[in-house]
Amino acid sequence: MIFGRVKPLDAILATAEKKSLHRSLGAFQLTMLGIGAVIGTGIFVLTAEAAQKAGPGMMLSFVIAGVVCAVAALCYAEMAAMVPVSGSAYTYSYAVMGELIAWMVGWALILEYAVAAGAVSVGWSGYVVGLIENAFALDIPDALVRGPYDGGIINLPAMLIAGLVTWLLVIGTKESAFVNSVLVLVKVSALSLFIILAIPVMNMQNFEPFSPLGFAGVSAAAASIFFAYVGFDAVSTAAEETKNPQRNMPIGLIGSLAICTIFYLLVAAGVIGSVGAQPILGPDGAALPPGSTELTKACVETAAATGKEAVVCSKEALAWTLREIGWPQIGNLIGLAAGLALPSVILMMMFGQTRIFFVMSRDGLLPAVFSKVHPKFHTPHVITILTGVFVALFAAFFPVGKLADISNSGTLFAFAAVSIAVLVLRRTDPDRKRPFRTPLIIITAPIAILGCAYLFYSLGHDTKMMFVGWAALGLLVYFGYSRRKSHVGRGIVETPEHEAYQELDPPVPGTH
């Protein structure tokens, strides 16, 4: 199409037909799947980040991010139903827009999965350290539990959990659907308990000023909060198991995102109303960047001057809020819930990363050693260990907000590419069977593309520059190695997707 070297869609679909699944999911099951997949790390760990960027206006940020996710999800669902094979946005792009775009999408997905796993590891560390300190009256030195941006030296707990998850993936231990369901219940129960306790003690004066940093602050918070919604693709990729997908997919997608948005708004209202969520400003009147040494220093000074910490300074905002309003033991329970549930999220993200690498390696775009399978454990141990090392390093030295923003940059690029692919395929192959068709595609897809572009633009300057640098590195790798080694470029197109990683069990739908 755009750059040639398209992987034949019929060849991909021929392999998918060999593993067609029973259509058993209705609208309710899809909605529950979506809620379980979406609610997770973002709301636990990014509330303080959003408050520092937008103040109480972060409530509007949740709505904006949810709307962009909804339209992107509808486009994603058409591709997922039409090309029901693994490889996610990478495979869709390869089939429609050619190898170069597919490579860039796959390269961007590395940011989505690996960096996001680092962000969750840092979030897990914040809650677990807070739990230990409060439950056992300890004071763990910041130097050992925070990265250099946050006023420490190295985040050892975050490194530890990333290493543990890497080991579990290498030996082949994966969650069962039952365990995943229990952990989803733990997360939802923890957030429900927070809402029940925080909403009744709201003080409406804490909502003023509502948007202290203007709409630019709301947009910046929306770009960060996007991390809290990603996971809806678990619903999109369930299209081939859905009864009457044309009716049930939009209900499942929009329904789950609407319920999650209401959940998030109630949690945000609980935080803002009970303890206040105004950003800490610098001497020039501008908000200090979240996850910066300047903010860390200002937090220490504020605590010394007022005798209390601000929510924007907390590494465990929800647990901290409950302790502040007189529920210290329930706050510890929230910390325990996060400590139990978040490692499963890290596992699923790292599994997603290895799967993308695995498929790209089998397509010849990455060295064959990346798709090497361990003789005993039947897992792609080489790429799993390599991914684990990078995730551990990200987690050790970077704050959660920076990692979440970098992850979002990759995700937004991939979602925009899929939305473009849907439009392109409608024009170039209008007669192809589509089990689900995106409603009002001529409106929905452009809104999704523009929405992703708007959120990307709202990310911080450093994040955008880092993404540009990453993309440039990706182009160097592609033209220096991948283009010559590509199976499609060499006329080898018979590699079936489902056989390419049949050694890998499908991951349980997960969440950020």
CSV table of all heavy atoms in Angstrom, one decimal, residues 123-146:
chain,number,residue,atom,x,y,z
A,123,GLY,N,5.1,1.8,40.4
A,123,GLY,CA,3.8,1.9,41.2
A,123,GLY,C,3.7,0.9,42.3
A,123,GLY,O,3.3,1.2,43.4
A,124,TRP,N,4.0,-0.3,42.0
A,124,TRP,CA,4.0,-1.4,43.0
A,124,TRP,C,4.9,-1.1,44.1
A,124,TRP,O,4.5,-1.3,45.3
A,124,TRP,CB,4.4,-2.7,42.3
A,124,TRP,CG,4.4,-3.9,43.2
A,124,TRP,CD1,3.4,-4.7,43.6
A,124,TRP,CD2,5.5,-4.4,44.0
A,124,TRP,NE1,3.8,-5.7,44.5
A,124,TRP,CE2,5.1,-5.5,44.7
A,124,TRP,CE3,6.9,-4.0,44.1
A,124,TRP,CZ2,6.0,-6.3,45.5
A,124,TRP,CZ3,7.7,-4.7,44.9
A,124,TRP,CH2,7.3,-5.8,45.6
A,125,SER,N,6.1,-0.6,43.8
A,125,SER,CA,7.1,-0.3,44.8
A,125,SER,C,6.5,0.8,45.8
A,125,SER,O,6.6,0.6,47.0
A,125,SER,CB,8.4,0.2,44.2
A,125,SER,OG,9.2,0.7,45.1
A,126,GLY,N,5.9,1.8,45.3
A,126,GLY,CA,5.3,2.9,46.1
A,126,GLY,C,4.3,2.4,47.1
A,126,GLY,O,4.4,2.8,48.3
A,127,TYR,N,3.4,1.5,46.6
A,127,TYR,CA,2.4,1.0,47.5
A,127,TYR,C,3.0,0.0,48.6
A,127,TYR,O,2.6,0.1,49.8
A,127,TYR,CB,1.3,0.3,46.7
A,127,TYR,CG,0.2,1.3,46.3
A,127,TYR,CD1,0.3,2.0,45.1
A,127,TYR,CD2,-0.9,1.6,47.2
A,127,TYR,CE1,-0.7,2.9,44.8
A,127,TYR,CE2,-1.8,2.5,46.8
A,127,TYR,CZ,-1.7,3.2,45.6
A,127,TYR,OH,-2.7,4.1,45.2
A,128,VAL,N,3.8,-0.9,48.1
A,128,VAL,CA,4.4,-1.9,49.1
A,128,VAL,C,5.3,-1.2,50.1
A,128,VAL,O,5.2,-1.5,51.3
A,128,VAL,CB,5.1,-3.0,48.3
A,128,VAL,CG1,5.9,-3.9,49.2
A,128,VAL,CG2,4.1,-3.8,47.5
A,129,VAL,N,6.1,-0.2,49.7
A,129,VAL,CA,7.0,0.5,50.6
A,129,VAL,C,6.1,1.2,51.6
A,129,VAL,O,6.4,1.2,52.8
A,129,VAL,CB,7.9,1.4,49.9
A,129,VAL,CG1,8.6,2.4,50.9
A,129,VAL,CG2,9.0,0.6,49.1
A,130,GLY,N,5.1,1.9,51.2
A,130,GLY,CA,4.2,2.6,52.1
A,130,GLY,C,3.5,1.7,53.0
A,130,GLY,O,3.3,2.0,54.2
A,131,LEU,N,3.1,0.5,52.6
A,131,LEU,CA,2.4,-0.5,53.4
A,131,LEU,C,3.4,-0.9,54.5
A,131,LEU,O,3.0,-1.0,55.7
A,131,LEU,CB,2.0,-1.7,52.6
A,131,LEU,CG,1.4,-2.9,53.3
A,131,LEU,CD1,0.2,-2.5,54.1
A,131,LEU,CD2,1.2,-4.0,52.4
A,132,ILE,N,4.6,-1.3,54.1
A,132,ILE,CA,5.6,-1.7,55.1
A,132,ILE,C,5.9,-0.6,56.1
A,132,ILE,O,5.9,-0.9,57.4
A,132,ILE,CB,6.9,-2.2,54.4
A,132,ILE,CG1,6.6,-3.5,53.6
A,132,ILE,CG2,8.0,-2.5,55.4
A,132,ILE,CD1,7.7,-3.9,52.6
A,133,GLU,N,6.1,0.6,55.7
A,133,GLU,CA,6.4,1.7,56.6
A,133,GLU,C,5.3,1.9,57.6
A,133,GLU,O,5.6,2.2,58.8
A,133,GLU,CB,6.8,2.9,55.8
A,133,GLU,CG,8.1,2.9,55.0
A,133,GLU,CD,8.5,4.2,54.4
A,133,GLU,OE1,7.5,5.0,54.0
A,133,GLU,OE2,9.7,4.4,54.2
A,134,ASN,N,4.1,1.9,57.1
A,134,ASN,CA,3.0,2.2,58.0
A,134,ASN,C,2.5,1.1,58.9
A,134,ASN,O,2.2,1.3,60.0
A,134,ASN,CB,1.8,2.7,57.2
A,134,ASN,CG,1.9,4.1,56.7
A,134,ASN,OD1,1.7,5.1,57.4
A,134,ASN,ND2,2.4,4.3,55.4
A,135,ALA,N,2.6,-0.2,58.3
A,135,ALA,CA,2.2,-1.3,59.1
A,135,ALA,C,3.2,-1.7,60.2
A,135,ALA,O,2.8,-2.1,61.3
A,135,ALA,CB,2.0,-2.5,58.2
A,136,PHE,N,4.5,-1.4,59.9
A,136,PHE,CA,5.5,-1.9,60.9
A,136,PHE,C,6.3,-0.7,61.5
A,136,PHE,O,7.3,-0.9,62.1
A,136,PHE,CB,6.5,-2.8,60.2
A,136,PHE,CG,5.9,-4.0,59.7
A,136,PHE,CD1,5.6,-4.2,58.3
A,136,PHE,CD2,5.5,-5.1,60.5
A,136,PHE,CE1,5.0,-5.3,57.8
A,136,PHE,CE2,4.9,-6.2,60.0
A,136,PHE,CZ,4.6,-6.3,58.6
A,137,ALA,N,5.8,0.5,61.3
A,137,ALA,CA,6.4,1.8,61.8
A,137,ALA,C,7.9,1.8,61.5
A,137,ALA,O,8.7,2.1,62.3
A,137,ALA,CB,6.2,1.8,63.3
A,138,LEU,N,8.2,1.6,60.2
A,138,LEU,CA,9.6,1.7,59.8
A,138,LEU,C,9.8,2.9,58.9
A,138,LEU,O,8.8,3.5,58.4
A,138,LEU,CB,9.9,0.4,58.9
A,138,LEU,CG,9.9,-0.9,59.6
A,138,LEU,CD1,10.1,-2.0,58.6
A,138,LEU,CD2,11.0,-1.0,60.7
A,139,ASP,N,11.0,3.3,58.7
A,139,ASP,CA,11.3,4.4,57.8
A,139,ASP,C,12.4,3.9,56.9
A,139,ASP,O,13.6,3.9,57.2
A,139,ASP,CB,11.8,5.6,58.6
A,139,ASP,CG,12.0,6.8,57.7
A,139,ASP,OD1,11.5,6.8,56.5
A,139,ASP,OD2,12.7,7.8,58.1
A,140,ILE,N,12.0,3.5,55.7
A,140,ILE,CA,13.0,2.9,54.7
A,140,ILE,C,13.6,4.1,54.0
A,140,ILE,O,12.9,5.0,53.5
A,140,ILE,CB,12.3,2.0,53.7
A,140,ILE,CG1,11.6,0.8,54.5
A,140,ILE,CG2,13.3,1.5,52.7
A,140,ILE,CD1,10.7,0.0,53.6
A,141,PRO,N,15.0,4.1,53.9
A,141,PRO,CA,15.6,5.3,53.3
A,141,PRO,C,15.2,5.5,51.8
A,141,PRO,O,15.1,4.5,51.1
A,141,PRO,CB,17.1,4.9,53.3
A,141,PRO,CG,17.2,3.8,54.4
A,141,PRO,CD,15.9,3.1,54.4
A,142,ASP,N,14.9,6.7,51.5
A,142,ASP,CA,14.4,7.0,50.1
A,142,ASP,C,15.5,6.7,49.1
A,142,ASP,O,15.1,6.3,47.9
A,142,ASP,CB,14.1,8.5,50.0
A,142,ASP,CG,12.8,8.9,50.6
A,142,ASP,OD1,12.0,8.0,51.0
A,142,ASP,OD2,12.5,10.1,50.8
A,143,ALA,N,16.7,6.7,49.5
A,143,ALA,CA,17.8,6.4,48.5
A,143,ALA,C,17.7,5.0,47.9
A,143,ALA,O,18.1,4.8,46.8
A,143,ALA,CB,19.2,6.5,49.2
A,144,LEU,N,17.0,4.1,48.7
A,144,LEU,CA,16.9,2.7,48.2
A,144,LEU,C,15.6,2.4,47.5
A,144,LEU,O,15.4,1.3,46.9
A,144,LEU,CB,17.1,1.7,49.4
A,144,LEU,CG,18.5,1.9,50.1
A,144,LEU,CD1,18.5,0.9,51.3
A,144,LEU,CD2,19.6,1.6,49.1
A,145,VAL,N,14.6,3.3,47.7
A,145,VAL,CA,13.2,3.0,47.1
A,145,VAL,C,12.7,4.0,46.2
A,145,VAL,O,11.6,4.0,45.8
A,145,VAL,CB,12.2,2.8,48.3
A,145,VAL,CG1,12.6,1.6,49.1
A,145,VAL,CG2,12.1,4.0,49.1
A,146,ARG,N,13.6,5.0,45.8
A,146,ARG,CA,13.3,6.0,44.8
A,146,ARG,C,14.4,6.1,43.8
A,146,ARG,O,15.6,6.0,44.2
A,146,ARG,CB,13.0,7.3,45.4
A,146,ARG,CG,11.7,7.3,46.3
A,146,ARG,CD,11.4,8.8,46.7
A,146,ARG,NE,10.2,8.8,47.5
A,146,ARG,CZ,9.5,9.9,47.8
A,146,ARG,NH1,10.0,11.1,47.3
A,146,ARG,NH2,8.5,9.9,48.6
